[in-house]
Amino acid sequence: MSILRLTADQVRRCLHGVGYEIFVQSFFDSNGDGIGDLNGLRQKLDYLSDLGITLIWLMPIHPAKTYHKYDVEDYMNIHSDYGTIEDFRHLINECHQRGILIILDLVANHTSYDHPWFQQAQLNSTNSYRDYYIWKDSERVQQLGLNAFNTPDMNAAGLWHKVGPESEHFDWEEFEKKSKIRIDVDKDDRITTKLAASHDEEQSTNKRKIEKLTTNIYYAIFDPRMPDLNYDCERVQDEICRIGRTWLELGVDGFRLDAAKYFYKPPRLKSNISWWTKFRNEMLRINPSVYLIGEVWDLSIRIAPYLRSLDSVFNFELADILISCILNEGNCSSMLNSYIRIINNYKKERHEEIIDAIFLSNHDQNRIMSVFNNNVSKAKMAAALLLTLPGLPFIYYGEEIGMLGMKPHDKYRREPFLWSANQTQGQTTWLEPLYTTISNGCIPLEQQLKDSNSLVNHYKKLIHIRCQSDILLFGLLKLIPTRIRCLCLFEREYNNKSIFIAHNIGYRMQQISIPKIYCQIIYSTNDNNQLITKGQLNLQGFSSIIIDSK
C-alpha cells in the first residue's frame, strides 16, 4: 500500500493547529472485545476531523505486558489487542486524507523486562547485549560510584534491582520458558526470536544461568519492570535510530519522545542534546518534515536547550501557571508575562520557528475537569485561553467532553471515552470507570453534540476559528497591560495583521477598552451578541471575545 503524504505547507499548518492525545485502549472498540483498537480509531476519524484536530499523538501501541504499554517488548510490531501493521497503514492513510498528522509515542529510555535484548543481556556478563543496559557490577558504574546515578525522580522501589527469584516481579515459569529462546539478527539487522534447536542442550545449562542471574543488578528509574537502556553504547543508539526510520518509512509523521531528559546516566545535558541531534538527523533522512516533540518535565530554562535538536517540548511550566490562574482567579497579566519569559528562554536556544507545545493536562496528570471540580465555566475558560495562544495546543482525549480522573491510580486518568449514555457498540469496557460516569455529572458526547452551549461545541468553535486564521495559527503574542487582575488582554500579530483577544477569568463583568482598529467580532462566548460602543465593551464573567481588525 502506497502512503499518502502531506505537503510541507500542510504539515506547517497542522503543527500550529490542534493536537489530540489518544490512549487507544480507551477510545473506540471495533471488534467487540471491550478494548479500543486502531480500526476503532479509524471509525472515529470523522469525529476528530469535524472537531478540527490536525495532529494525533498515539500513546504506546507496541506489544507490552502492562495496560499502559510503556514497557515495550517489541518496537517493530503493534500490540495484538490494537490490530496489525496493515491496520496501522490504513489508519495513517485515512489520517493523511483528512489532513491530519499522526505521531507515535517512542519509549526509548527503557524497554520491558521481557524485551529480547534484556532477556539476553541478563544471561551473563559477556553476552553481546549486556552493554545495552546499565549494570551495577559494570566497570563504569564502579568507577563513578552509585551516588552518581541517583535522581529525585526514581520509582518507589529504588534504582537498582536484582534479576532473579528475589525480585518481586520475577516470573520463575516465564524464565524457564524464555531461557530456551535465543535471539538472532536477520539479514536486515532486525531482532527475531527463534526456539533453540536442542531443548535438552538448553536444559543442561539452565542451572548455571540461574546462578549467574541471582547476582545481576540492573538500573531502572521508573519501574523495576522497565530497565533503562545504556546510551553510552553505540549499538543502542543505532537500534533506536533504525526503529525510528522504520516507522517513518511506514508513514508516521514524527514521534513524541518519552522521558527525553533521562537518556544518559548519570544525567548529562550535553550528551542528551548530542543524542537527540543524531536521532533528528537520522529521521530527516527519511522525512524532511519529521516532527519531534520531547517530554522534558521541568522548568523552561532547563527545557530550552532541547530545542536545539527537537521541534517542540511540552510546556509543563505554562500549564501549571495557566491552571492555577483560572483556579484561583490569579493575575492574568502576570500569567502572560510568564508565557513571554518562557518563550524568551526558548529563543535563546532556538533561532528557527518555535512550536510551543501547550496543554492543560495529559495522561500523567489529574484531568482538568477534576481539577476544576466539575466547573464547566472554568473548563471553558481554560480551553479558550489554550486555543488562542501561539504554538500547538494539545487536547487529552475526552478533555473536550469534560472527562474526569484523579491520582493516585494512573488507569483512572485513562478511562474509556464516554460516547453515549448507553453501552452502545464501540464503547470500550476494559475498565469500569470510577470517575467518568453520568452519576458523577459527566455528559456523553452524543448528548453534548446536540447542545450548542456544551463543552465540546465550545472546543469545536474555537478550534475552527483558530485553524481558519493565519494570525491565530502563526501570529506572535503582544501583551496589552491592564490593572484588572482577572482580565487577560493580548493581540496576535502576523504579516502586518492583528487580532484582539480578551478573556475574563473572574465572576464579575468587566468593561474593557478596545483599540480603534478592531471592530469585527469573530467569536464571543455570548454568541456574538455583544456590541462595541465608543471603543468600550462589557465582558461577562468567564467569557472571551476575539475581534478582527478592519
Side-chain angles (χ1 to χ4, degrees):
M1 177 190 296
S2 61
I3 297 296
L4 174 68
R5 296 188 184 275
L6 276 61
T7 66
D9 183 64
Q10 287 175 313
V11 169
R12 182 169 181 255
R13 295 190 72 86
C14 286
L15 293 180
H16 289 81
V18 179
Y20 194 86
E21 178 190 0
I22 296 179
F23 181 42
V24 175
Q25 184 150 320
S26 285
F27 203 60
F28 197 78
D29 172 23
S30 71
N31 59 8
D33 65 357
I35 298 172
D37 47 51
L38 298 178
N39 287 332
L41 173 53
R42 281 173 57 201
Q43 292 177 29
K44 289 301 178 181
L45 286 179
D46 284 343
Y47 161 67
L48 296 174
S49 180
D50 189 51
L51 186 61
I53 300 305
T54 61
L55 179 147
I56 292 172
W57 153 26
L58 297 182
M59 289 172 63
I61 60 173
H62 306 299
K65 286 285 191 301
T66 64
Y67 84 93
H68 56 69
K69 298 174 180 57
Y70 278 92
D71 54 324
V72 178
E73 294 180 359
D74 181 356
Y75 288 100
M76 295 301 196
N77 280 309
I78 306 288
H79 196 288
S80 58
D81 287 343
Y82 287 1
T84 65
I85 293 290
E86 193 63 21
D87 294 333
F88 189 66
R89 287 194 179 99
H90 285 294
L91 174 63
I92 291 172
N93 264 346
E94 292 196 24
C95 282
H96 290 175
Q97 287 168 10
R98 292 167 173 82
I100 299 173
L101 301 176
I102 187 163
I103 65 172
L104 291 185
D105 214 321
L106 181 59
V107 186
N109 172 73
H110 50 265
T111 69
S112 167
Y113 184 92
D114 294 308
H115 192 288
W117 297 343
F118 191 73
Q119 288 298 299
Q120 281 289 296
Q122 65 179 263
L123 293 179
N124 56 63
S125 60
T126 61
N127 188 277
S128 60
Y129 289 95
R130 182 74 171 186
D131 202 32
Y132 275 38
Y133 298 88
I134 301 167
W135 301 92
K136 191 174 182 178
D137 62 356
S138 69
E139 182 178 346
R140 182 166 168 273
V141 171
Q142 294 300 311
Q143 287 177 346
L144 294 172
L146 296 183
N147 288 339
F149 291 81
N150 288 346
T151 169
D153 302 314
M154 66 181 177
N155 66 83
L159 293 172
W160 299 97
H161 312 278
K162 179 177 284 191
V163 171
E166 294 178 16
S167 178
E168 63 180 0
H169 59 274
F170 188 82
D171 188 328
W172 222 194
E173 293 182 0
E174 191 73 0
F175 167 74
E176 289 287 356
K177 180 172 64 177
K178 286 183 178 291
S179 67
K180 303 180 185 69
I181 293 177
R182 73 168 184 265
I183 299 176
D184 293 332
V185 180
D186 66 17
K187 62 181 179 181
D188 294 321
D189 198 32
R190 298 188 182 214
I191 302 300
T192 58
T193 58
K194 297 180 181 179
L195 288 177
S198 172
H199 176 82
D200 293 337
E201 181 180 345
E202 292 290 340
Q203 281 281 18
S204 67
T205 61
N206 272 348
K207 288 185 178 180
R208 291 195 301 275
K209 289 179 180 178
I210 291 171
E211 288 172 2
K212 291 179 180 180
L213 278 170
T214 58
T215 65
N216 281 346
I217 298 175
Y218 63 93
Y219 186 88
I221 289 181
F222 299 112
D223 190 304
R225 296 167 295 180
M226 303 189 304
D228 284 35
L229 287 166
N230 175 21
Y231 277 81
D232 284 302
C233 174
E234 286 287 333
R235 287 179 63 198
V236 168
Q237 296 183 23
D238 293 342
E239 294 276 16
I240 300 303
C241 286
R242 177 177 59 83
I243 290 163
R245 291 194 303 268
T246 300
W247 287 102
L248 291 184
E249 288 166 353
L250 200 62
V252 167
D253 298 292
F255 301 100
R256 179 262 187 186
L257 305 168
D258 184 62
K261 73 175 184 177
Y262 294 103
F263 276 49
Y264 280 84
K265 296 91 180 176
R268 306 198 302 276
L269 177 62
K270 288 184 179 179
S271 296
N272 261 338
I273 303 304
S274 177
W275 152 246
W276 288 122
T277 300
K278 173 181 177 177
F279 181 79
R280 178 177 187 78
N281 290 337
E282 286 293 313
M283 299 307 104
L284 287 172
R285 288 172 47 196
I286 308 300
N287 181 355
S289 298
V290 65
Y291 178 59
L292 301 179
I293 176 171
E295 182 206 23
V296 186
W297 200 328
D298 214 324
L299 298 176
S300 61
I301 195 168
R302 298 191 186 107
I303 285 175
Y306 287 86
L307 290 170
R308 300 173 200 166
S309 50
L310 306 180
D311 298 293
S312 298
V313 284
F314 286 102
N315 198 332
F316 287 92
E317 188 176 354
L318 180 65
D320 290 341
I321 294 169
L322 189 154
I323 292 168
S324 177
C325 188
I326 295 174
L327 194 62
N328 304 307
E329 289 189 62
N331 188 320
C332 286
S333 290
S334 176
M335 178 192 69
L336 289 177
N337 277 319
S338 293
Y339 166 78
I340 293 169
R341 171 183 54 78
I342 291 168
I343 295 301
N344 286 337
N345 283 337
Y346 290 171
K347 287 180 178 178
K348 293 174 185 176
E349 301 289 350
R350 185 179 179 87
H351 304 297
E352 302 171 49
E353 183 179 42
I354 294 171
I355 306 171
D356 190 19
I358 55 178
F359 65 102
L360 298 176
S361 67
N362 66 21
H363 61 278
D364 286 322
Q365 299 170 305
N366 292 334
R367 281 192 173 269
I368 194 66
M369 188 60 95
S370 290
V371 173
F372 290 145
N373 196 26
N374 261 4
N375 188 315
V376 176
S377 295
K378 290 191 175 185
K380 286 184 175 181
M381 196 75 260
L385 270 165
L386 179 75
L387 295 168
T388 53
L389 288 173
L392 174 60
F394 276 84
I395 298 168
Y396 181 35
Y397 82 96
E399 201 165 76
E400 76 277 18
I401 63 170
M403 284 180 61
L404 301 169
M406 294 285 285
K407 296 179 180 180
H409 303 295
D410 284 350
K411 64 174 60 176
Y412 291 108
R413 288 171 276 156
R414 306 165 190 178
E415 292 180 347
F417 190 100
L418 189 59
W419 295 100
S420 66
N422 303 312
Q423 288 287 344
T424 56
Q425 185 177 2
Q427 178 66 52
T428 61
T429 57
W430 72 276
L431 176 69
E432 183 71 26
L434 182 63
Y435 293 98
T436 300
T437 63
I438 294 173
S439 61
N440 282 338
C442 296
I443 303 173
L445 173 68
E446 185 178 54
Q447 185 176 336
Q448 289 199 37
L449 289 174
K450 299 172 184 176
D451 177 5
S452 61
N453 292 317
S454 68
L455 183 59
V456 73
N457 278 317
H458 174 76
Y459 268 89
K460 183 177 175 180
K461 289 175 191 175
L462 285 164
I463 292 172
H464 280 260
I465 288 170
R466 178 187 183 88
C467 292
Q468 292 166 9
S469 168
D470 283 359
I471 301 174
L472 288 174
L473 285 177
F474 308 118
L476 300 177
L477 182 146
K478 180 182 177 182
L479 172 65
I480 298 177
T482 176
R483 293 182 178 181
I484 304 174
R485 290 172 56 88
C486 66
L487 284 182
C488 188
L489 309 178
F490 58 94
E491 293 170 294
R492 298 285 305 280
E493 300 176 337
Y494 182 70
N495 280 352
N496 298 317
K497 295 180 180 180
S498 60
I499 283 177
F500 174 86
I501 299 167
H503 303 288
N504 181 0
I505 71 167
Y507 289 90
R508 296 179 180 178
M509 180 182 72
Q510 299 291 338
Q511 187 176 75
I512 59 176
S513 297
I514 310 297
K516 290 182 180 180
I517 64 169
Y518 300 107
C519 58
Q520 183 182 356
I521 298 175
I522 60 176
Y523 172 81
S524 170
T525 305
N526 301 316
D527 293 328
N528 296 347
N529 290 328
Q530 293 179 275
L531 296 174
I532 303 171
T533 306
K534 295 182 179 181
Q536 302 291 312
L537 181 143
N538 291 327
L539 190 60
Q540 300 295 325
F542 292 113
S543 63
S544 306
I545 194 160
I546 304 173
I547 309 175
D548 206 347
S549 55
K550 297 177 182 178

